Amino acid sequence: MLFEDFDLSDDLLDALDAMHFSECTPIQEKAIPVVLDRHDLIAIAQTGTGKTAAYLLPVIDLLAEVPEAKGFVNCLIMAPTRELAQQIERQMDGFGYYLPLSSIAVYGGTDGKEFSRQQRAMKDGADVVIATPGRLQALLQMGGIDLSKVRHFILDEADRMLDMGFFDDIMAIAKLLPEERQTLLFSATMPPKIRKLASQILRNPVEVQIAPSRPVEKIKQSAIFCNEPDKQRILLDLLKQHRGERVIVFAASKHGVRDLARDLRRTGVKAAEIHSDLDQQQRDETIRGFRSGRIEVIVATDLLARGIDIEDVMLVINYDVPREPEDYVHRVGRTARANADGEAVTLIGPRDRRAFQRVEATLKINIPAQDRPASSPRGGADRPRRDSTRKPSRRSGQKPRAAQEDSKPAENKSAENKPADNKPTENAAKRKRRRRPQHRKPSNNSGKPSDNGGKPASEQ
């Protein structure tokens, strides 16, 4: 279906044409008519399917019909992370380029000057405000922000917001909004907590589902079973195969991300890291370097699994299997975006196997897997050869052959160096006692089996 088939304004269609958008994705095809008809909506779609445009396009079209916002907010969009808020703002700027609409993104991780700017902008009013829950709550507590005229309330990545503990914040903000509003809830999954939230803030919603909780078909998925110490070697092999391409590597913790990014840089890989310990400016700089090609590999926590839209990411590598199957969907969804092709490889160490099985079982998919042998020890060519004239151990009591040839005859040696009465020396007696017993049954002098039944000493 084409965007021209919808009853959208000419200005909006011109913007889509300038952005080379012509054909709808399945979620856009199903959601846009519902929003244009002003129904509440629950939309379940995985990341990378174009859901941001699925709500922005119809809402922008509806907002163009209302008076310009002065001192209040017309549309409130809530997103879980700064990265997603920034992405929505960029798309808002593109879609609304030919329309007289104002928008602002408010999120944390900024300095006091930026906080004041966001506060003034919201007091002055905006057609569209894109906000993270924590920063919006902080701005509301300062006072002077009017949400009583909000016509559209949109929750993007709602499941992620609830996972981050924002349920109470969402409910508190919803109470400040007028009851007569349109509420749209977009999520990649539909757990019970999303049902609970939807039942409290939506009214008779239409529900749309597009292949929930599964990666898009264009992603070539595979897995490699290996030992934990071999992961980095396999990772380097994969990066060599995709040299010159954009690659995202996901690790389980920020400490693991830091260590892995450092190790990759030491091998000459143009790698950078993204995790929660970096401030917004550092993360933005990394994303800009990634987009420009200055950085080829980003090593990240699940912070980057959502809310970032970078074109031409050809490979996603799960260095660690995510604990939650939904996180797997979002991670691999960083590639094969906008109907492009992409690849996702998951490295599975012994401690990852149960989590990987849970991913396959929950998502009802079978990911092709292969076993990668462990790093083999050095081959025989690398080992020193045994020499037939090798010096015997000093503990043997023997001298080197050359020393034996140069030594005097035994009868000329002093008596003090000879064992008395041809009895074994004390050390020799000890060695004899330590000698491993033969596997055949030893016998005593009488020819009968010994009392140990022929078992080695270690089995007695």
Side-chain angles (χ1 to χ4, degrees):
M1 188 172 183
L2 302 178
F3 288 111
E4 292 181 351
D5 297 330
F6 296 119
D7 186 21
L8 299 173
S9 68
D10 291 340
D11 290 333
L12 191 51
L13 291 174
D14 288 343
L16 288 170
D17 185 62
M19 298 170 70
H20 305 290
F21 286 7
S22 58
E23 189 173 350
C24 301
T25 65
I27 186 62
Q28 293 164 0
E29 182 177 342
K30 291 189 175 184
I32 288 176
V34 175
V35 181
L36 288 175
D37 289 339
R38 303 177 187 273
H39 293 294
D40 284 7
L41 173 68
I42 298 175
I44 309 300
Q46 67 270 32
T47 185
T49 56
K51 54 184 175 53
T52 305
Y55 62 77
L56 273 185
L57 291 175
V59 166
I60 288 173
D61 192 76
L62 294 173
L63 288 175
E65 302 174 0
V66 302
E68 183 180 354
K70 292 183 178 179
F72 56 87
V73 176
N74 278 330
C75 173
L76 176 60
I77 302 173
M78 295 186 65
T81 64
R82 292 169 281 192
E83 287 77 13
L84 181 55
Q86 291 171 328
Q87 175 188 321
I88 297 170
E89 183 183 33
R90 286 193 297 269
Q91 294 204 28
M92 176 68 200
D93 291 341
F95 296 147
Y97 186 79
Y98 296 108
L99 292 165
L101 297 177
S102 60
S103 64
I104 182 175
V106 296
Y107 45 80
T110 59
D111 55 19
K113 184 178 180 180
E114 178 62 19
F115 183 92
S116 299
R117 188 191 71 83
Q118 294 175 2
Q119 185 181 28
R120 288 195 305 272
M122 289 199 66
K123 287 182 178 181
D124 293 340
D127 288 299
V128 179
V129 170
I130 306 122
T132 55
R135 175 49 61 95
L136 183 57
Q137 279 283 62
L139 291 170
L140 290 172
Q141 290 173 3
M142 302 296 291
I145 296 175
D146 187 1
L147 299 180
S148 64
K149 300 291 195 302
V150 169
R151 298 169 179 264
H152 309 279
F153 182 39
I154 304 168
L155 300 178
D156 198 353
E157 302 281 13
D159 53 347
R160 178 65 168 167
M161 282 193 281
L162 297 192
D163 288 341
M164 296 170 69
F166 287 131
F167 181 88
D168 292 337
D169 289 332
I170 292 172
M171 294 305 301
I173 292 168
K175 291 178 180 179
L176 302 176
L177 308 180
E179 292 187 4
E180 294 297 324
R181 67 174 190 268
Q182 183 181 37
T183 304
L184 313 176
L185 187 152
F186 283 76
S187 180
T189 59
M190 197 63 178
K193 55 189 176 182
I194 291 292
R195 290 283 181 190
K196 178 183 176 182
L197 175 65
S199 67
Q200 297 187 40
I201 66 173
L202 279 76
R203 297 177 303 169
N204 301 320
V206 176
E207 187 168 329
V208 172
Q209 292 196 21
I210 304 295
S213 297
R214 291 189 184 183
V216 296
E217 294 181 358
K218 282 186 169 289
I219 301 175
K220 179 185 176 183
Q221 301 175 73
S222 63
I224 298 174
F225 288 95
C226 59
N227 291 325
E228 201 69 29
D230 295 310
K231 280 188 174 183
Q232 195 166 125
R233 173 179 59 86
I234 297 171
L235 173 62
L236 288 172
D237 289 343
L238 291 170
L239 294 180
K240 287 179 182 178
Q241 296 170 19
H242 291 265
R243 181 164 292 169
E245 300 177 356
R246 291 191 181 117
V247 179
I248 299 178
V249 180
F250 285 102
S253 68
K254 58 188 177 184
H255 303 292
V257 165
R258 279 197 296 261
D259 293 344
L260 186 56
R262 181 197 60 219
D263 292 343
L264 290 178
R265 287 192 292 268
R266 286 175 176 174
T267 65
V269 177
K270 297 177 182 178
E273 62 201 72
I274 286 185
H275 49 75
S276 59
D277 281 354
L278 301 180
D279 60 34
Q280 188 62 40
Q281 183 177 355
Q282 292 172 308
R283 283 145 66 175
D284 290 344
E285 178 61 27
T286 298
I287 295 297
R288 284 194 293 269
F290 194 52
R291 286 196 171 103
S292 68
R294 180 171 52 83
I295 296 170
E296 293 182 354
V297 178
I298 287 183
V299 186
T301 61
D302 284 320
L303 181 68
L304 198 67
R306 306 191 192 200
I308 184 67
D309 188 9
I310 302 174
E311 295 180 358
D312 300 327
V313 174
M314 301 306 298
L315 176 65
V316 169
I317 300 174
N318 291 313
Y319 193 81
D320 302 305
V321 178
R323 299 299 98 186
E324 297 298 331
E326 292 82 2
D327 291 332
Y328 176 86
V329 177
H330 290 292
R331 284 184 180 186
V332 303
R334 298 305 96 198
T335 186
R337 300 181 71 82
N339 293 321
D341 294 325
E343 185 178 355
V345 180
T346 302
L347 307 185
I348 307 168
R351 64 185 182 187
D352 297 315
R353 299 202 174 201
R354 182 171 295 180
F356 180 70
Q357 292 171 354
R358 190 163 59 248
V359 167
E360 289 191 308
T362 303
L363 305 185
K364 296 180 175 59
I365 58 177
N366 183 21
I367 302 173
Q370 59 175 304
D371 287 320
R372 186 66 62 91
S375 300
S376 58
R378 292 188 303 172
D382 295 330
R383 297 177 181 175
R385 292 184 177 181
R386 286 184 176 270
D387 193 344
S388 58
T389 62
R390 182 183 175 186
K391 294 181 180 181
S393 170
R394 292 183 180 179
R395 292 183 301 172
S396 66
Q398 297 177 344
K399 296 182 180 180
R401 182 173 300 175
Q404 292 178 4
E405 293 174 355
D406 294 337
S407 63
K408 296 180 180 180
E411 59 269 15
N412 293 335
K413 290 183 180 180
S414 61
E416 62 183 7
N417 292 329
K418 296 180 181 179
D421 300 328
N422 294 325
K423 293 182 180 180
T425 63
E426 182 179 354
N427 288 338
K430 289 181 180 179
R431 286 197 300 274
K432 187 173 182 181
R433 287 196 297 271
R434 289 201 302 266
R435 189 173 299 147
R436 294 176 62 87
Q438 301 295 324
H439 292 294
R440 58 184 175 82
K441 292 182 179 180
S443 59
N444 53 25
N445 294 332
S446 64
K448 297 180 181 180
S450 61
D451 294 338
N452 64 9
K455 294 182 180 180
S458 62
E459 296 179 18
Q460 293 182 28

